[in-house]
Amino acid sequence: MTTSGRLSGKEVALHNSRDSCWIIVHGHVYDVTEFLDDHPGGSRIILKYAGKDATQEYDPIHPPDAITTNLPKEKHLGPVDPETVEKVEVKITDQEKERQLRVAARPSLDEILNLHDFEAIARLVMAEKAWAYYSSAADDEITNRENHFAYHRIWFRPRILRNVAKVDWSTTILGNPSSMPVYITATALGKLGHPEGELNLTRAAAKHGVIQMIPTLASCSFDEIVDAAQPGQVQFLQLYVNNDRNITKRIVQHAEQRGIKGLFITVDAPQLGRREKDMRMKFEADDPSEVSKSGSEGVDRSQGAARAISSFIDPSLEWADISWFKAITKMPLILKGVQTWEDALMAYDAGLAGIVLSNHGGRQLDFARSGIEILVEVVSKLGEKRGVKFPNEKFQLFVDGGVRRATDVLKAVALGATAVGIGRPFLYAFSAYGQEGVEKGLQILHGEFEMNLRLLGAPTIKDVVPEMVDASNVSSHASNVPGDKLYENNYVGMESVRLRGA
Ligand code: 173
């Protein structure tokens, strides 16, 4: 203890082993000895900082309050005297230096013409691990590609000679105004791409009047993201249901109290999909001889960044739990990750506010169908079985996955969706350009909506009707599509063989 009543760096440094492991995060000391084996990211990474300041390693992955909420109070040992703490030197690797040069040489925002462009640039300028995590998808990434390709199987039937001098693409989502039928969907670990993480999305969303869905696994804390919103700015929350329902209850009720306007419960991830690009990154980043040992810690870190932090998700979640959610919150409840009309019907009968037809950006079950294809069958079957018409205020349909253009969004809207979620393109936009990148992405979409509504002969979103599309081929998985150069260039295959040390 120093004279100021604070712990000294010297004392902390003594607790540098598995038997007694203290770390410093944001100037406070924590005893994590008993937590080592429970750390979702494995014990090895903590032990690397045993007795030291771990803040720089901690920050890009964890919300600031992760450690204070997960560790029992008696393990919070108090502030450390900063003068006495040895600076942990974070070495900038040659690879990182080269990356920073690429960032400095990225094209100016003026050169960006569409959402694909962000992806191409992000691939060049992002840290390899971050790119691997964001871009990865399940198994052979067939569903990931299909999400985008499915839109190629839908064609327009535009109308002519309608007065489109004024066009308006604003709408409402769950009763909340939105400047376009698009929301920014939830994606985890924003700080992997940019130090401001999800706040880039919050601020850009405010400027453009769109709704942000806050992820359970944001790198910024939930409160930081809500605090960053403008007065009246609408936000939703994506929820991973915890094995410990008390934690979930706390999250949900806190969200409601903070004004969140919709709870999107993820139902397509009882176990996380196998994202091999992400996994491969672990092998390459760590000492390969260590990988085989990783199983002994209980958490297999060789499975990539997402799997490592997903162990809290409850695979026993079931339909019977819906009534519990209704009992603990008045927020509209939406299931995110519905993939068949049968489940859509169950959600409708359960009195939910809506569903997101989604395969989790192709990151879960490979060969799951695209949201846009599922939309067509859901609208048809719910009409047939329950006489419901879409779009529908009481039971709203959303789609996500593979959306890159306003034309994609307009196809979904024509087919009965209220709005469409876009995830990765905004991650790529802020990874390469911060908040301005996201703003540019939203501006591009506004421009595309204006032009395409005119060309469709639809002055408002309500005028975008089923007769404006030909989706007769949407569930034909054998149709010929033209080569998609922009997309394919971003998704080249992995090197199949890589010799160690080569
Ligand atoms: O798709 C994901 O990567 C995802 O949803 C997730 C789930 C758990 C932990 C981290 C990310």
Side-chain angles (χ1 to χ4, degrees), residues 133 188 217 240 272 275 306 309-310 313 360 363:
Y133 172 66
L217 291 165
Y240 273 123
L272 228 59
R275 293 99 185 242
I309 57 169
S310 64
I313 301 172
H360 206 120
R363 293 161 76 83

Side-chain angles (χ1 to χ4, degrees), residues 321-396:
D321 293 314
I322 300 294
S323 53
W324 179 75
F325 282 101
K326 286 187 171 176
I328 64 165
T329 181
K330 292 205 160 43
M331 283 186 285
L333 298 176
I334 299 94
L335 299 184
K336 178 173 177 287
V338 171
Q339 304 189 49
T340 59
W341 70 261
E342 290 90 337
D343 284 336
L345 191 64
M346 288 176 79
Y348 177 78
D349 288 343
L352 297 174
I355 48 180
V356 186
L357 307 170
S358 165
N359 53 42
H360 206 120
R363 293 161 76 83
Q364 288 299 104
L365 180 66
D366 207 11
F367 289 95
R369 298 172 304 160
S370 68
I372 190 76
E373 179 180 342
I374 303 163
L375 175 68
V376 174
E377 81 168 30
V378 166
V379 168
S380 156
K381 285 288 185 177
L382 264 65
E384 183 189 316
K385 305 265 178 205
R386 297 289 183 271
V388 205
K389 291 222 171 4
F390 295 99
N392 186 293
E393 279 302 307
K394 292 220 167 74
F395 186 70
Q396 305 199 350

